[in-house]
Amino acid sequence: MVNNNFSTLAGMLGIGYFLHTISIPIVKNNKIQANNERDVTFGYMLVASTYMLVGVMGYFGFQG
């Protein structure tokens, strides 16, 4: 049940949390402010699809 090779997953989670903190300055300094809603929505959809993909693959990975 315990895997000693968790460093990759921990690194991915750390980068994910780091990217959440820098998203606000990126949106504030966007050249075309009118596109902020579109860009943030697209970003959230990409992140949600990534989390769902990891969840589905994890589910199938632990079935065996």
Side-chain angles (χ1 to χ4, degrees):
M1 294 290 297
V2 177
N3 188 357
N4 291 332
N5 192 13
F6 64 92
S7 59
T8 305
L9 179 60
M12 287 171 42
L13 290 173
I15 289 173
Y17 286 125
F18 174 70
L19 290 177
H20 280 92
T21 60
I22 66 169
S23 63
I24 292 174
I26 289 174
V27 170
K28 277 185 177 179
N29 297 325
N30 194 3
K31 186 175 181 180
I32 303 172
Q33 291 290 319
N35 291 339
N36 278 346
E37 186 176 346
R38 179 201 66 188
D39 296 342
V40 170
T41 303
F42 187 64
Y44 274 115
M45 288 189 316
L46 287 174
V47 169
S49 65
T50 303
Y51 285 152
M52 282 191 277
L53 179 67
V54 169
V56 168
M57 292 300 160
Y59 173 77
F60 286 124
F62 285 108
Q63 288 294 316

